[in-house]
Amino acid sequence: MNNLVSHHGTCTLVGAGPGDPDLLTLKAVKAIHAATVLFVDDLVNDAILGYARPDARIVHVGKRGGCKSTPQAFIEKLMITAVREGETVVRLKGGDPFIFGRGGEEVEHLREAGIECSVVNGITAGLAAVTSLGVPLTHRDHAQGVVFVTGHAKTGAGAAEDPTDWRALAATARDARLTLVIYMGVAGAGHIQGELLHGLPGATPVAVIQHASLPHQRHIVTTLARLQAGIAEAGLASPSVIVVGDVLQGLAAAQLPAGRFGT
C-alpha cells in the first residue's frame, strides 16, 4: 500500500541546465514561475532566477567543492518543512537533477517523509560542453556509446579509497569504443590521467571545458598524456568537464601542433 500522504504544498526538482538561460526547457520555466519558494544551487545562473515570480522566496543553498557548503541534510529538512507549510517548492539544480546532482538522494528522503516529488530534466553540462565545440558524444566511426562518470566520488565513512576503477574503465572505453565524460575531475586530473593511461594511448584526444555554455566559457584540446599539464598551463578550474575519446579526433587534428597528436 502506498504510504505517501498528500500535503498542501508540492515539490519539484528542476534542472537549470549548464548555465545558458536559453537552454532551459519550457517545463522548467513554468515550474520556476509557479514556485513560491526556490532552493537554488550555487552553479545556477542568476539570470535564470528572472523567471521566478516577484514575490517568490529565493534561498541559496550552494554546494561547491572546496567551499563552505550548506549541509545536504539541512537542505532536505528545509524542503520538507516548506512543503508541509503549503509552499510550491522548486529545488533548482545546475545541469540535470539526476546526473551527479544528488537528486536521487533528495527524492528518497522526501518519500521517506511521505512527500512525492516530480522531476524536470535539464541539459547536463557534459552534453552542452562537447556540443559547444561542435563535437558529438557518439559517432558511428569513433564511439559506440558514452559513459558519464564523476571524478569526485563519495568520501567519508564506508567509502572506498578509490571507488572508481579508472584502469578498468579505460580498458572498457578502448575495447567498446566509448567516450568518457568526467565531471568534477579537475582537482584529481593527475591521478585520473595516470590511471587511464594504463588502458588508453597517451595520444587519445582530450578536451577540458570550463563554464560550459556561458559567455566566459574556456576550453583546451590536448592529449591524455598532457591532460594535467594542459589544465595547469591554461589555468582551468572547476566547474569543468573532461571529455576523453576519439570523437575529438577531428578537433584535435585541427588544433594541436604537428607531432603532438598521434595517429
Side-chain angles (χ1 to χ4, degrees):
M1 183 176 179
N2 193 330
N3 62 353
L4 297 177
V5 297
S6 61
H7 295 266
H8 293 296
T10 62
C11 184
T12 306
L13 270 61
V14 176
D20 183 350
D22 288 344
L23 294 179
L24 284 170
T25 65
L26 290 174
K27 193 169 185 178
V29 172
K30 292 175 182 178
I32 292 168
H33 185 69
T36 59
V37 58
L38 297 97
F39 296 105
V40 184
D41 270 354
D42 190 59
L43 291 179
V44 173
N45 191 335
D46 287 341
I48 289 173
L49 300 179
Y51 291 109
R53 47 196 269 186
D55 61 340
R57 183 162 57 97
I58 297 174
V59 182
H60 292 276
V61 288
K63 297 184 72 64
R64 294 189 65 174
C67 302
K68 186 175 181 180
S69 299
T70 307
Q72 183 66 26
F74 184 65
I75 296 173
E76 291 159 0
K77 183 177 180 180
L78 289 175
M79 294 167 64
I80 291 169
T81 298
V83 173
R84 288 176 172 169
E85 290 176 349
E87 303 279 8
T88 301
V89 175
V90 161
R91 175 74 168 101
L92 195 57
K93 295 173 168 290
D96 184 278
F98 279 179
I99 298 182
F100 308 124
R102 294 197 174 186
E105 297 174 36
E106 291 177 355
V107 167
E108 289 172 1
H109 284 92
L110 287 163
R111 285 177 174 169
E112 288 172 2
I115 298 170
E116 189 61 271
C117 181
S118 58
V119 178
V120 177
N121 293 115
I123 295 176
T124 186
L127 176 58
V130 292
T131 299
S132 73
L133 304 182
V135 174
L137 284 175
T138 62
H139 190 291
R140 287 191 300 173
D141 295 332
H142 302 298
Q144 303 304 309
V146 58
V147 174
F148 295 105
V149 60
T150 176
H152 180 68
K154 183 178 180 181
T155 58
E161 289 185 9
D162 186 7
T164 302
D165 190 337
W166 294 104
R167 297 187 186 191
L169 186 58
T172 301
R174 179 196 65 219
D175 296 341
R177 301 172 67 198
L178 305 176
T179 304
L180 301 182
V181 180
I182 305 169
Y183 292 68
M184 299 170 283
V186 169
H191 171 70
I192 294 170
Q193 171 188 319
E195 294 296 289
L196 290 180
L197 283 170
H198 285 275
L200 289 170
T204 303
V206 175
V208 184
I209 306 98
Q210 182 180 12
H211 298 302
S213 84
L214 293 174
H216 54 292
Q217 173 178 315
R218 300 171 62 221
H219 76 273
I220 60 169
V221 179
T222 185
T223 62
L224 183 57
R226 296 200 78 255
L227 172 59
Q228 185 178 28
I231 290 172
E233 290 166 4
L236 296 180
S238 296
S240 293
V241 174
I242 300 172
V243 182
V244 182
D246 286 341
V247 289
L248 296 163
Q249 278 188 3
L251 187 64
Q255 295 193 25
L256 294 180
R260 179 169 289 181
F261 177 64
T263 57

